Amino acid sequence: MRSNIIISLLAAAITVSGYANPMTCTGTCTNAHDPALIRRDDGTYYRFSTGGKIAIHSAPSITGPWTYKGAAIPNGSKINLNGKNDLWAPDVTKVGDTYYLYYSVSAFGVQDSAIGVATSTNLDTWTDLGATGISSSSGKNYNAIDGALYWDGSKFVMSFGSFWNDLYSVNMNNPPTQIASGSASVNIAYKPDGEHAQEAAFIAKNGDYHYLFFSIGKCCGYDTSRPAAGAEYKIQVCRSTSANSGFVDKSGKKCTEGGGTTVLESHDWVYGPGGQGVYYDPSLGPVLYYHYVDTRVGYADGQKRFGINKIDFSSGWPVV
């Protein structure tokens, strides 16, 4: 009897504190840093990721098998900054009959950055339009990378930022190729302690709230230098009734004052999940997608894998 009680308690602890492992992924599941996920009308899934001038992969199912299709911007960006032939952190959104691909032009650890945009009608071939007007340089409070477009019901909002004063939002024109005239960037999240390691903003709607997902902690270089336990990448969230301000975590702490409720962190063989987004799949409902290191395979940046989990908003807060 005592052993049965202990087993029941252990099972309850796992249910309460554990995270579901990522769905099984087949095909090319690496080359997945900072993924962006979208589904074409014919049912084909597309994944875009950092590096290789924005790598494109496609699959007949959300779990694969994923096949490499080439570079989205093979000639590099029109934005004349260091990093124009690398390109980071894609985000893909369909508006009307056009797909918009946002990307970052930057170099690691610098603030001289810009967010660019390209358009497509099929997700395979892209026309680079260059700068969106979101840029940063020494003296600004933010770094202009990790852009993610969001429709709040009345206007387009771009969230972005990394380190410095962390995360910001700005309103965009419609069609969303440029900053809206007169729109100023607004700070929406800030970690006041340590290195201010907060980035990869992504806003998703559920019910009456706009949910601001983001990554905190050390993102990269785990094969040469791993941070103290718990200081690696993890995914957190705040929410607000406005897409431009007022985000708080589950305890009511302001996101601009270090707030953030953890959605997913290292567990089992999953290490450093982040670079996330949310996609409303027609079959699965809302899913959280991200990259992570599989500790059974290796810690190198090039080994980061594509992860997907269903998420449940029924409590008012997203749960993996």
Side-chain angles (χ1 to χ4, degrees):
M1 176 65 72
R2 183 184 177 191
S3 62
N4 288 339
I5 292 172
I6 292 172
I7 289 170
S8 297
L9 289 172
L10 287 173
I14 290 169
T15 301
V16 171
S17 62
Y19 296 100
N21 286 326
M23 296 179 188
T24 299
C25 181
T26 61
T28 305
C29 297
T30 54
N31 193 14
H33 198 123
D34 301 327
L37 177 67
I38 197 167
R39 181 180 179 270
R40 204 163 61 182
D41 290 343
D42 65 3
T44 304
Y45 289 83
Y46 279 74
R47 185 183 88 218
F48 299 79
S49 56
T50 287
K53 299 175 182 177
I54 306 299
I56 307 174
H57 294 75
S58 70
S61 162
I62 199 169
T63 57
W66 291 98
T67 302
Y68 177 63
K69 303 273 291 183
I73 308 175
N75 296 321
S77 174
K78 290 182 176 180
I79 300 172
N80 190 25
L81 290 175
N82 187 22
K84 67 180 182 180
N85 290 310
D86 186 8
L87 310 182
W88 299 349
D91 173 69
V92 180
T93 302
K94 188 178 184 183
V95 179
D97 295 325
T98 302
Y99 296 96
Y100 293 82
L101 168 66
Y102 300 93
Y103 61 84
S104 307
V105 179
S106 188
F108 199 78
V110 304
Q111 198 185 2
D112 192 13
S113 312
I115 295 171
V117 61
T119 57
S120 174
T121 57
N122 57 23
L123 293 171
D124 291 310
T125 56
W126 293 85
T127 300
D128 181 35
L129 304 182
T132 60
I134 305 173
S135 63
S136 59
S137 58
S138 180
K140 288 194 175 180
N141 293 327
Y142 54 78
N143 194 16
I145 70 169
D146 292 1
L149 188 71
Y150 176 66
W151 174 255
D152 75 352
S154 62
K155 64 184 181 301
F156 287 109
V157 178
M158 179 75 76
S159 57
F160 65 94
S162 174
F163 289 74
W164 282 269
N165 276 21
D166 292 332
L167 306 183
Y168 284 74
S169 74
V170 68
N171 295 336
M172 300 291 289
N173 281 338
N174 187 5
T177 59
Q178 295 287 313
I179 293 175
S181 177
S183 180
S185 299
V186 177
N187 191 211
I188 55 175
Y190 178 61
K191 296 292 187 186
D193 300 322
E195 297 180 327
H196 317 300
Q198 185 177 23
E199 56 193 7
F202 188 99
I203 304 175
K205 182 78 183 306
N206 195 274
D208 295 329
Y209 291 100
H210 310 278
Y211 290 83
L212 172 63
F213 293 81
F214 51 86
S215 302
I216 66 166
K218 182 178 179 182
C219 71
C220 313
Y222 299 146
D223 53 334
T224 58
S225 176
R226 282 195 290 281
E232 72 276 10
Y233 238 24
K234 69 179 69 172
I235 299 169
Q236 293 191 332
V237 71
C238 289
R239 74 181 189 186
S240 176
T241 54
S242 167
N244 295 96
S245 63
F247 291 96
V248 298
D249 68 12
K250 192 174 182 180
S251 70
K253 188 175 184 178
K254 294 179 180 179
C255 219
T256 50
E257 296 177 359
T261 297
T262 299
V263 178
L264 185 64
E265 58 190 337
S266 298
H267 64 96
D268 302 314
W269 38 263
V270 173
Y271 183 81
Q276 75 298 311
V278 173
Y279 177 68
Y280 287 83
D281 186 74
S283 299
L284 298 172
V287 297
L288 180 72
Y289 60 86
Y290 53 92
H291 69 243
Y292 71 97
V293 159
D294 185 334
T295 60
R296 303 169 300 180
V297 177
Y299 288 84
D301 290 342
Q303 294 174 306
K304 286 181 176 171
R305 298 181 64 82
F306 182 51
I308 305 171
N309 286 84
K310 291 179 66 175
I311 52 174
D312 182 3
F313 284 92
S314 61
S315 71
W317 291 92
V319 176
V320 169

